[in-house]
Amino acid sequence: MSAPPGSLAMVPLIERKKRGEALSSRELEWLCSEFTAGRIPDYQVAAWLMAVRWRGMDEEETLALTRAIVNTGRTLSWDGAGSTVVDKHSTGGVGDKTTLVLVPLLAAAGLRFAKMSGRGLGHTGGTLDKLESIAGFRVDLPLEEVRRQVERIGCALVGQGRDLAPADGALYALRDVTATVDSVPLIAASVMSKKLAAGASVIILDVKHGSGAFMPTFAAAEALALAMVSIGTGAGRKVRAVLSPMEEPLGLAVGNALEVREAVAALQGGGPADLRELVLALGAEVLVLAGAGEGVSGARQKLTTLLDSGAGLDRFVDLVAAQGGDVEMVRRPELLPRAAFVTEVRSREPGAAWVSGVDARIIGEAALALGAGRRTKADRADPAAGVLLRARTGDRVAAGAVLAEVHAASTSRISEGEALVREAFRFSEAAVEASGFEVCAVG
Amino acid sequence: MSAPPGSLAMVPLIERKKRGEALSSRELEWLCSEFTAGRIPDYQVAAWLMAVRWRGMDEEETLALTRAIVNTGRTLSWDGAGSTVVDKHSTGGVGDKTTLVLVPLLAAAGLRFAKMSGRGLGHTGGTLDKLESIAGFRVDLPLEEVRRQVERIGCALVGQGRDLAPADGALYALRDVTATVDSVPLIAASVMSKKLAAGASVIILDVKHGSGAFMPTFAAAEALALAMVSIGTGAGRKVRAVLSPMEEPLGLAVGNALEVREAVAALQGGGPADLRELVLALGAEVLVLAGAGEGVSGARQKLTTLLDSGAGLDRFVDLVAAQGGDVEMVRRPELLPRAAFVTEVRSREPGAAWVSGVDARIIGEAALALGAGRRTKADRADPAAGVLLRARTGDRVAAGAVLAEVHAASTSRISEGEALVREAFRFSEAAVEASGFEVCAVG
């Protein structure tokens, strides 16, 4: 087996990155456009990716790479009349239904929010899968329809446009099989290329840290957040990142229809405190960035009122109706898909005990085993499957008390999910405090 | 453009190397055999190569990689009756005709020497090109013929067998286009895989340092030498390395027929002192490794006698005859190919001056420009072209004195070569000593 000759012009770029030098924006534009056009072989780009993983990139080079990726495709523009256009990115977590609440809430606050989301893969869920648990909901709208819908009701929740930043998909596919995913500049450039191409002027980033997050430590999450904010700001956008915990799942529901139900509860002013806190924290930062003229606390107050009044829920109903979904399922969430089998997972501790931890990653694996997610891109997600927690860290549970419900389409999935849920729970004989859900804004 | 899925099993190996871990010998065997079979895509191997360039390999992992490369092809065995079988590798230099002298000399000393050589590329020459300046000389003998010739006359000088260590060729081709050539463990494994596959029990390594060498510094050359000795010793061979200077060309002749002529002079007991010194140093180490029962100085004495008596030259004549070459060209080197144009390059210094340096790399570039080598693998080397130095470091040259001759097939090549030769020479008004040619054995 002998390798093809490769691109002669690519060799010195790999060489220089290997020595720790930054490539120029012209060189990165060339690299991304030639790679997307199939004129630089994968193996040369793979070597360059590993050199980037090794040597890193400074802020200027990371911004140049991001712009180069953006320039391989079309870019959207939201100029013209109308309010600020907002976008959001979350680095992904377990039970993260924040987008479902935040998007209609900010539309109710008078902003425009055109959110492009992804599907779940592995232990983390995806917004599109959650929305598709609502019968009839369409996530693949043509761009012109998205634009009209946003002008009309202030929001849309759709799939990532394939013609935005196409180099990102090609680079990601290569990183996935060459162990070069875990590079802060490459992650930041990947995320921000899609955000820049989608054209929003205000971008809010939710960077999670903890066992269930892509970035396990606070420090790693902070580094990624700062890199992303730097790119966005460098490209002239208003950007802020919020660091939020992902040791436990967010809220109690993990699984598509279960999470829609919890999101609806939050839009009715209820729902779990951590979910509500994250929505308000992210939303307040957005209002401040959008120049609403009030400080963070004023913005929080405004959003709290909108949540509790049901104004956000009204917008969510409008959004579901606009995208072909069954609005009745939102008004009466008990109509959402329900699993054939639901089993309570009960404590097997010998006596009363405190829950000292509920590992988010393992609960994510449990939801996956129950059928709520995908192990490979070809899998179909079961809308009804998942985990509903009934106890969280800091709760005192009696012997035999219910820890969680597992929902699935078969008893074998139930058994597998139940075993993982048990594995996720940690107990203590001494009293344990509830996890504080502390978020912090950076950038 | 989206990348193919790659080998799932390869991802964790890249990941672990990226984190600085050593792969096991079983994993490296798998990697090399699957890659050679075309079942691991180039881009995954490219990422692994860059991770190796980054993290390095310890002695054990380097040996395991070498063995894994060897095991992708056939291996030769020289068991049975007969004396020790010797092999040699040089890291390449300018004017390095050592093999042409050493191989017949050691055969005359009673050893068997089956040397597989390569062709020149870039500024360094190749033994095969030099031999082919002798009319009729065949370098592509079938292996059985090589074996019979070695048994009969004690030596053969042929091209590298394609079925030995095939993974090495595939890996090298990929390294060449992914900026991963300059890794000590990868270089050492590449060289030693071919030596181990060729089956010699005694291996002598000539590792050059200086401007004209692959390894510019003494420290880098020493590191490579130790890595190669460690592999050979680990694989049960007797190995020693000699570090030799390559700031100036070795000897005075650079170019194929010009070098054959100089090699014949050395085999007659004459020739440049540095060439003779290197031959004796390498040869003495080999005799000691082969257990000739005498120390280094006794071995040197024996080889000096064989050189001065013409016994080595007799073996060279036998070798040329056995491989179909025109023996008359060896007996009367003035019959070797001669260039259409020969020009003397004269000093343009205003008065007498000392030569303070003759840059080996630039003289190599001059020989290449004159037609003696190849810029790409497809080029043909001109047997007659090259540079013949007439002054070296430490010589005092009068104004207008001849510094070198340039030999080429056209006047345009002559002009280009002459300009480079001028660039290679450095002068001093103060007296300069001749470069000491100090070699040192390691391992």
Side-chain angles (χ1 to χ4, degrees), chain B residues 129-205:
Chain B
D129 295 325
K130 293 168 196 178
L131 288 166
E132 285 178 344
S133 70
I134 302 168
F137 197 97
R138 290 167 52 214
V139 299
D140 54 346
L141 306 188
L143 208 55
E144 279 316 303
E145 200 172 320
V146 172
R147 194 181 289 276
R148 282 196 302 273
Q149 179 180 321
V150 170
E151 296 308 328
R152 189 162 60 81
I153 63 167
C155 55
L157 270 166
V158 296
Q160 179 71 36
R162 280 171 195 277
D163 46 358
L164 301 187
D168 177 62
L171 286 172
Y172 192 85
L174 194 51
R175 285 166 61 206
D176 198 36
V177 292
T178 55
T180 49
V181 168
D182 60 340
S183 154
V184 166
L186 293 177
I187 298 165
S190 169
V191 168
M192 294 306 291
S193 65
K194 286 175 286 193
K195 298 292 118 180
L196 297 185
S201 55
V202 166
I203 301 166
I204 186 77
L205 304 167

Side-chain angles (χ1 to χ4, degrees), chain A residues 118-419:
Chain A
R119 297 197 176 271
L121 190 62
H123 77 280
T124 61
T127 297
L128 301 186
D129 294 325
K130 294 169 195 178
L131 289 166
E132 284 179 346
S133 70
I134 302 168
F137 196 98
R138 290 167 52 213
V139 299
D140 53 346
L141 306 188
L143 209 55
E144 278 316 304
E145 200 172 319
V146 172
R147 193 182 289 276
R148 282 196 301 272
Q149 179 181 318
V150 170
E151 296 309 328
R152 187 164 60 82
I153 64 168
C155 54
L157 270 166
V158 296
Q160 178 71 39
R162 280 171 194 277
D163 46 358
L164 301 187
D168 177 62
L171 286 172
Y172 192 85
L174 194 51
R175 286 166 60 205
D176 199 35
V177 293
T178 55
T180 49
V181 168
D182 61 340
S183 155
V184 165
L186 293 178
I187 298 166
S190 170
V191 167
M192 294 306 291
S193 65
K194 285 175 287 196
K195 297 293 118 179
L196 296 186
S201 56
V202 166
I203 301 165
I204 185 78
L205 304 167
D206 179 12
V207 183
K208 298 183 184 295
H209 53 91
S211 89
F214 186 58
M215 288 298 187
T217 67
F218 186 89
E222 189 178 27
L224 176 59
L226 290 173
M228 293 195 293
V229 170
S230 162
I231 292 169
T233 308
R237 312 300 168 91
K238 293 176 180 167
V239 190
R240 209 155 155 79
V242 163
L243 301 178
S244 67
M246 184 42 67
E247 290 295 346
E248 287 192 276
L250 184 71
L252 298 166
V254 181
N256 303 306
L258 295 170
E259 293 192 42
V260 169
R261 201 165 172 164
E262 192 165 81
V264 168
L267 284 164
Q268 289 167 329
D274 54 354
L275 172 59
R276 181 177 167 98
E277 169 58 27
L278 185 55
V279 166
L280 292 173
L282 293 165
E285 296 294 338
V286 170
L287 285 187
V288 171
L289 284 177
E294 58 230 329
V296 171
S297 65
R300 267 187 87 103
Q301 190 48 54
K302 179 172 175 182
L303 292 173
T304 304
T305 306
L306 290 168
L307 260 188
D308 295 343
S309 70
L313 181 61
D314 292 344
R315 286 302 170 109
F316 189 55
V317 169
D318 292 345
L319 182 147
V320 169
Q323 296 190 222
D326 181 350
V327 171
E328 276 309 294
M329 285 190 175
V330 177
R331 295 216 177 93
R332 297 167 56 206
E334 64 273 20
L335 297 177
L336 284 162
R338 295 168 87 111
F341 298 90
V342 178
T343 297
E344 290 176 339
V345 182
R346 291 176 179 273
S347 172
R348 289 179 182 162
E349 297 301 296
W354 275 268
V355 177
S356 59
V358 185
D359 188 284
R361 179 172 292 266
I362 305 178
I363 294 291
E365 299 288 347
L368 187 60
L370 290 161
R374 331 183 134 68
R375 290 190 201 277
T376 72
K377 283 183 189 167
D379 288 351
R380 282 206 54 199
D382 176 350
V387 179
L388 192 61
L389 298 176
R390 299 267 292 268
R392 305 184 80 183
T393 300
D395 288 349
R396 185 166 186 271
V397 291
V402 177
L403 301 174
E405 294 167 13
V406 286
H407 297 231
S410 74
T411 53
S412 64
R413 284 188 177 274
I414 288 282
S415 312
E416 209 186 328
E418 177 174 356

Side-chain angles (χ1 to χ4, degrees), chain B residues 97-146:
Chain B
K97 68 285 293 177
T98 316
T99 293
L100 303 187
V101 185
L102 189 65
V103 167
L105 181 64
L106 287 175
L111 301 178
R112 291 181 293 170
F113 207 140
K115 172 76 176 90
M116 293 183 178
S117 294
R119 297 197 177 270
L121 190 62
H123 77 282
T124 62
T127 296
L128 300 186
D129 295 325
K130 293 168 196 178
L131 288 166
E132 285 178 344
S133 70
I134 302 168
F137 197 97
R138 290 167 52 214
V139 299
D140 54 346
L141 306 188
L143 208 55
E144 279 316 303
E145 200 172 320
V146 172

